[in-house]
């Protein structure tokens, strides 16, 4: 049995779809207040609970061989905190896995930056990486570069969300909804993109579906035992190259507006006393101003992942009908 924690999110949902296609037994850990109706299909067992409820974690881990954990509080749907969910919650999840002798714990993490401790999403990823390394469990940690599905949308487009199931940018969180309302049509509308950082930054942007394939293919893989793996897409690109693809698809030039790291850093600080989650989103925009130049083609071959290029990703999405 494979338990997916974070099952209602976009990545968790993609992982579950792949596991079902591979005829693997799947248990989805979901909140009763969450949006899980799309998971009510044959082959998916629902385990109701909450990372803040140790008893529900204990019950969910019974009879489980593998845990795939993607849950986070970056875009909360309710009154949750990073300390309660990614702090104490993951500590309790790891303890439950140890108690029930889970054979492999697969975890999605983020790149390392000089300011991880300043942004909760990054700070708790580092904490949980260390917990797994010290847990005695067989762990697989994937540090992923930026998801095309999210960041190609955050800069001002609705194209990346076309055809997406449980899309992150559509989650019910007021600050994200307000942010996307303000920037969501910049590229298709006035033809501008709001870019965090500067023109020199380079990323190995990766399609979320490829991340899901990595995580599923790591189950029982001998090269995935007790290891930390950096993953990204097939190219290391600047934002200008991404906008060139958008421009080619839309038939016009897309102009970048680069927002210095310091602007997002200041917004993070200003929002911090009022909303941890809103402050964290501004912090993420600050930290993506640092490179993720991952050379990963050999890793992709090792885990049998056919990486999607940015051009392929955006053209496939643009060919889909608007929602």
């Amino acid at each position: 049995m494979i338990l997916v924690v974070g099952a209602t999110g976009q990545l968790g949902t993609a992982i579950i779809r792949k596991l079902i296609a591979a005829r693997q037994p799947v248990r989805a850990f979901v909140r009763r207040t969450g949006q899980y109706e799309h998971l009510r299909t044959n082959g998916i067992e629902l385990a109701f609970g909450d990372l803040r409820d140790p008893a529900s974690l204990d019950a969910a881990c019974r009879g489980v061989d593998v845990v795939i954990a993607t849950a986070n509080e970056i875009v909360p749907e309710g009154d949750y905190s990073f300390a309660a969910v990614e702090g104490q919650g993951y500590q309790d999840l790891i303890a439950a896995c140890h108690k029930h002798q889970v054979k492999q714990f697969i975890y999605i993490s983020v790149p390392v930056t000089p300011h991880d401790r300043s942004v909760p999403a990054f700070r708790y990823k580092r904490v949980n990486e260390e917990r797994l390394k010290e847990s005695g469990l067989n762990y697989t940690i994937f540090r992923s570069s930026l998801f095309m599905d999210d960041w190609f949308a955050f800069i001002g487009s609705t194209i990346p969300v076309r055809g997406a199931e449980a899309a992150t940018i559509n989650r019910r969180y007021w600050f994200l909804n307000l942010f996307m309302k303000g920037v969501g049509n910049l590229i298709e509308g006035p033809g501008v993109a709001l870019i965090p950082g500067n023109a020199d930054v380079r990323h190995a942007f990766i399609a979320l579906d490829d991340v899901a394939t990595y995580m599923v293919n790591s189950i029982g893989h001998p090269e995935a035992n007790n290891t930390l793996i950096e993953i990204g897409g097939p190219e290391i690109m600047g934002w200008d190259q991404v906008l060139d693809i958008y421009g080619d698809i839309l038939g016009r030039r897309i102009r970048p507006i680069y927002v210095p790291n310091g602007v997002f850093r200041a917004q993070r600080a200003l929002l911090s006393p009022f909303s941890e989650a809103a402050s964290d989103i501004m912090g993420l925009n600050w930290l993506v101003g640092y490179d993720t130049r991952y050379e990963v083609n050999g890793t992709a071959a090792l885990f049998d992942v056919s990486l999607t290029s940015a051009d392929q990703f955006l053209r496939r999405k643009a060919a889909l009908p608007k929602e």
Side-chain angles (χ1 to χ4, degrees):
M1 176 64 71
I2 301 168
L3 174 66
V4 179
V5 180
T8 58
Q10 188 172 357
L11 178 56
T13 295
I15 289 167
I16 287 174
R17 297 299 182 217
K18 290 181 183 294
L19 291 171
I20 292 298
R23 301 183 181 278
Q24 296 277 10
V26 180
R27 182 179 296 165
F29 189 67
V30 299
R31 294 168 177 158
R32 289 193 179 276
T33 57
Q35 295 177 289
Y36 58 83
E37 291 303 317
H38 64 291
L39 300 177
R40 284 192 178 277
T41 58
N42 292 337
I44 302 174
E45 176 188 333
L46 297 182
F48 292 99
D50 194 304
L51 275 164
R52 301 174 303 169
D53 178 7
S56 69
L57 291 170
D58 183 83
C61 287
R62 289 183 190 133
V64 166
D65 298 304
V66 177
V67 167
I68 301 179
T70 65
N72 62 70
E73 280 307 300
I74 293 174
V75 186
E77 292 187 326
D79 186 21
Y80 301 99
S81 71
F82 282 91
V85 175
E86 298 198 49
Q88 187 63 47
Y90 265 92
Q91 182 172 315
D92 292 337
L93 174 60
I94 291 169
C97 289
H98 198 277
K99 174 182 175 181
H100 292 287
Q101 299 181 326
V102 169
K103 296 176 183 176
Q104 186 179 12
F105 193 116
I106 303 169
Y107 181 61
I108 188 66
S109 190
V110 294
V112 173
T113 79
H115 304 288
D116 288 351
R117 293 188 58 82
S118 300
V119 178
F122 276 60
R123 181 169 69 250
Y124 280 104
K125 290 294 187 184
R126 299 287 91 82
V127 168
N128 288 323
E129 286 180 3
E130 292 307 309
R131 284 174 172 165
L132 284 170
K133 291 175 184 178
E134 297 169 1
S135 68
L137 295 170
N138 177 20
Y139 66 85
T140 307
I141 299 168
F142 287 105
R143 283 183 183 162
S144 176
S145 183
L146 277 61
F147 293 0
M148 298 177 188
D149 309 61
D150 296 336
W151 289 99
F152 288 2
F154 289 153
I155 63 173
S157 176
T158 60
I159 289 174
V161 80
R162 293 182 188 177
E165 191 174 22
T168 300
I169 69 167
N170 288 339
R171 289 175 70 87
R172 298 176 299 188
Y173 175 53
W174 68 271
F175 186 79
L176 178 63
N177 298 156
L178 186 66
F179 181 82
M180 290 309 300
K181 186 175 181 179
V183 307
N185 196 49
L186 287 176
I187 289 176
E188 290 96 300
V192 299
L194 198 65
I195 307 294
N198 60 62
D200 296 326
V201 174
R202 295 290 183 270
H203 294 292
F205 297 103
I206 185 169
L208 180 144
D209 194 64
D210 292 346
V211 177
T213 301
Y214 262 116
M215 299 186 81
V216 169
N217 288 2
S218 71
I219 296 172
H221 196 296
E223 297 296 330
N225 293 333
N226 295 318
T227 190
L228 189 154
I229 305 164
E230 293 181 338
I231 57 174
E235 310 155 290
I236 298 171
M237 307 176 65
W239 289 106
D240 55 337
Q241 293 169 279
V242 176
L243 297 190
D244 285 344
I245 298 169
Y246 267 115
D248 193 41
I249 291 170
L250 297 173
R252 57 196 174 97
R253 181 178 178 270
I254 307 300
R255 182 170 60 88
I257 299 175
Y258 288 99
V259 182
N261 286 351
V263 172
F264 290 114
R265 185 176 185 175
Q267 289 175 333
R268 178 200 65 82
L270 288 171
L271 286 167
S272 184
F274 308 102
S275 171
E276 180 187 44
S279 172
D280 185 79
I281 289 175
M282 290 297 98
L284 297 181
N285 280 276
W286 166 32
L287 297 192
V288 300
Y290 293 91
D291 292 340
T292 55
R293 303 186 184 215
Y294 296 167
E295 297 282 0
V296 300
N297 289 303
T299 305
L302 182 65
F303 286 92
D304 194 25
V305 181
S306 298
L307 292 171
T308 305
S309 70
D311 186 84
Q312 290 170 327
F313 174 83
L314 283 173
R315 290 186 187 280
R316 289 173 186 170
K317 292 289 187 175
L320 297 173
K322 297 180 182 178
E323 298 183 357

